Amino acid sequence: MTDLCEGGMDDLWSITTLLLQVWFSVMIGLIMIPAMFGLSLGVTSVYIQILVKILEWATLRIQRGHRDRPTLPVPAPLPNGLIQREGGSMEQEMGELRRYRTQSISRGEFALSDSFYFYRKGLESIVDDQVTQRFSSEELVSWNLLTRTNHNFHYISLRLTIIWGLGVIIRYCVLFPLRITLAIIGISWLVIGTTLVGFLPNRRVKNWLSELVHLMCYRICARGLSATIQYHNKNNKPQKGGICVANHTSPIDIVILANDGCYAMVGQSHSGLMGVIQRSMVRSCPHVWFERSEMRDRHAVTSRLRAHVAAKRNLPILIFPEGTCINNTSVMMFKKGSFEIGGTIYPVAIKYDPRFGDAFWNSAKYNMVSYLLRMMTSWAIVVNVWYLPPMTRQEGEDATKFANRVKSAIAHQGGLLDMAWDGSLKRADLR
């Protein structure tokens, strides 16, 4: 009996080892090595094409279900976190208000409680303004088979339910383990590689190796998100000694842009894992990290950035002038500080396809870990990046007007709404 148990354990261990070998062989041979050299075997493209067909079929099936069953509730838009709407008609909501009256009121008569309905709708219109809508997930025309994008899903057909169930299994049991493994490998290699390169003397070889390590690691991380990125107008890519400014939707904007070129990052110094990554990166490349006390000193920040730009051999600085994440439907006010530095501005427009996953990071609702888990369990990240022609400050143009001109160019190219509001006010603690 003991020998039988030991034999069974040995067989189980052999099968597990074989599966792990196959898993890592496929991951290294078909994903990591092509990613490191910027190559694609076309697997992701085929995967996206299949997804498009499935989502189109699901959309048609949902539309037919609503047509065949008129009593099926129409999904209401997702709440933005501030307003919880009932979703019923005016008569239904007024009926709820009248329910607590002792005297019955015939249909068509006015009741004092009816005014509360209009009072509430007026307040909702004030609170749910044009700015607030930019801090909630972009509304989709149809359900993309992600549970979190439609809280009002109702049973329509067995086939649609089976497809949704298979999608959950694929996303959580196949794609998620693969993506988390790639992310861990990419970040680990970034820390180890930049640390080792940092010991080399400051020469061309060090700069070349630093850019190579950064590119390889960011490309592995991009594959860890199943990112399909289409870059347009590559002849306008940011050059060394310049400043790259882009609209901001998500922390993964950095991965998307760094997948096609190296940048000097700008930001606040952190502790913990983020601090380890920052310290290793700055060893091999002149990234610009500020202490919390320095971030409030506008003159000190501008001076350090101006010194970086003055050295024409330094990588272009990557800045997101909005100062916060917007839901990829609009571009909000650019802070003028980035445009007071001087030098050439290289505008970049980023537009995500919301059908495959919501890339917007609502930092008021999700912490970084929760957000990344949502990204890694989405279908994919599909994004278009446009490099716009370089822009310089015109004679007699102040920094504010220059920032607005660049913002308008990005909004126009990305098909985004150009807004003059300061998005940071929604994130600020005004107490």
Side-chain angles (χ1 to χ4, degrees), residues 381-396:
I381 299 297
V382 180
V383 57
N384 281 278
V385 176
W386 290 273
Y387 297 113
L388 278 66
M391 303 174 70
T392 54
R393 196 164 162 179
Q394 297 175 349
E395 186 177 354

Side-chain angles (χ1 to χ4, degrees), residues 278-405:
Q278 287 181 322
R279 288 190 293 272
S280 63
M281 289 173 64
V282 81
R283 287 176 178 270
S284 64
C285 177
H287 298 285
V288 185
W289 307 126
F290 296 97
E291 297 297 333
R292 182 181 293 272
S293 57
E294 292 181 291
M295 292 294 290
R296 299 180 180 178
D297 189 343
R298 183 175 171 182
H299 177 71
V301 172
T302 304
S303 298
R304 286 190 60 183
L305 294 179
R306 188 174 286 126
H308 181 99
V309 172
K312 298 303 180 182
R313 287 189 175 182
N314 284 342
L315 294 173
I317 296 177
L318 176 58
I319 298 177
F320 300 104
E322 289 169 298
T324 188
C325 293
I326 312 298
N327 71 354
N328 209 221
T329 61
S330 61
V331 183
M332 303 192 78
M333 189 185 82
F334 279 6
K335 305 294 190 298
K336 66 177 183 178
S338 309
F339 303 88
E340 295 175 329
I341 300 170
T344 304
I345 297 292
Y346 294 88
V348 176
I350 306 173
K351 178 62 178 175
Y352 293 89
D353 190 332
R355 293 178 299 171
F356 305 98
D358 181 18
F360 168 58
W361 180 35
N362 187 350
S363 57
K365 190 174 182 180
Y366 303 104
N367 59 33
M368 179 63 78
V369 175
S370 299
Y371 169 76
L372 291 177
L373 289 177
R374 288 167 61 86
M375 288 297 94
M376 290 186 176
T377 53
S378 295
W379 290 117
I381 299 297
V382 180
V383 57
N384 281 278
V385 176
W386 290 273
Y387 297 113
L388 278 66
M391 303 174 70
T392 54
R393 196 164 162 179
Q394 297 175 349
E395 186 177 354
E397 185 178 43
D398 61 22
T400 301
K401 291 181 179 178
F402 184 29
N404 289 334
R405 183 159 60 92

Side-chain angles (χ1 to χ4, degrees), residues 58-89:
T59 300
L60 293 174
R61 190 66 190 84
I62 292 172
Q63 291 174 349
R64 191 174 16 163
H66 282 289
R67 188 170 60 250
D68 296 341
R69 297 165 61 189
T71 57
L72 196 65
V74 178
L78 290 177
N80 61 15
L82 296 176
I83 299 173
Q84 301 291 334
R85 289 186 170 85
E86 299 295 331
S89 64

Side-chain angles (χ1 to χ4, degrees), residues 57 61 143 145 153-168:
W57 172 83
R61 190 66 190 84
W143 185 35
L145 301 182
F153 170 72
H154 293 267
Y155 175 82
I156 293 177
S157 73
L158 178 61
R159 282 185 294 176
L160 188 61
T161 304
I162 292 174
I163 292 294
W164 173 79
L166 289 174
V168 171

Side-chain angles (χ1 to χ4, degrees), residues 12 22-23 41 93 103-104 138 175-176 191 249 259 276 295-296 305 321 352 396:
L12 180 61
V22 172
W23 175 268
L41 300 180
E93 294 190 40
Q103 294 180 342
S104 61
E138 182 178 358
L175 294 179
F176 178 66
V191 172
T249 302
N259 189 69
V276 172
M295 292 294 290
R296 299 180 180 178
L305 294 179
Y352 293 89

